[in-house]
Amino acid sequence: MITGYVIGESLRTGAVFERPGLRIRRISRDDVSAGATADQSPAWTFVEYETDSDDVTGLADALAAALKPRDGWYTDFTAGDERVVVFAGRVFRYRRGDAAGRAEAIAYGRSVGVPEHQLDWKE
């Protein structure tokens, strides 16, 4: 099973994120003004999803195509013991607990402007 989330405000205008078998688990909107950058909305819409599909690559590619390339946006999801971190046009996959894989994704996030305090996805 794949579980993850995408922040509504991270999607490009006109982007469509859809995958066969994707189910919405929960949608919430939170005030994140204390941690948002000046270029990010002070409130974020979290869309949590799940799927029984094992098409990790298809899901990651769909997200990579839908995310804004600016303002430090990314999303992540888990597929079994694998963590997948997705930026616009770039995907990182590593086994949970793989410090080098996580470090590579974090370094890339920094390089595209993700604030340090937002590079906090769970293992």
Side-chain angles (χ1 to χ4, degrees), residues 44-63:
W44 293 357
T45 306
F46 293 86
V47 181
E48 297 177 34
Y49 59 84
E50 66 184 11
T51 182
D52 294 325
S53 171
D54 59 358
D55 185 10
V56 173
T57 300
L59 179 60
D61 289 349
L63 285 164

Side-chain angles (χ1 to χ4, degrees), residues 2-6 11 15-25 47-67 75 77 84 86 91 93:
I2 297 172
T3 61
Y5 72 95
V6 64
L11 300 175
V16 176
F17 169 58
E18 61 184 347
R19 296 294 303 160
L22 199 66
R23 296 180 300 274
I24 294 175
R25 294 173 58 185
V47 181
E48 297 177 34
Y49 59 84
E50 66 184 11
T51 182
D52 294 325
S53 171
D54 59 358
D55 185 10
V56 173
T57 300
L59 179 60
D61 289 349
L63 285 164
L67 290 173
T75 191
F77 63 88
V84 182
V86 181
V91 176
R93 294 173 67 168

Side-chain angles (χ1 to χ4, degrees), residues 59-106:
L59 179 60
D61 289 349
L63 285 164
L67 290 173
K68 290 179 183 176
R70 298 177 320 280
D71 304 331
W73 292 108
Y74 75 91
T75 191
D76 64 289
F77 63 88
T78 59
D81 68 344
E82 186 174 35
R83 173 61 65 184
V84 182
V85 183
V86 181
F87 300 88
R90 186 79 188 263
V91 176
F92 293 86
R93 294 173 67 168
Y94 62 91
R95 298 273 178 227
R96 287 194 248 180
D98 174 0
R102 181 180 174 87
E104 184 180 7
I106 287 173

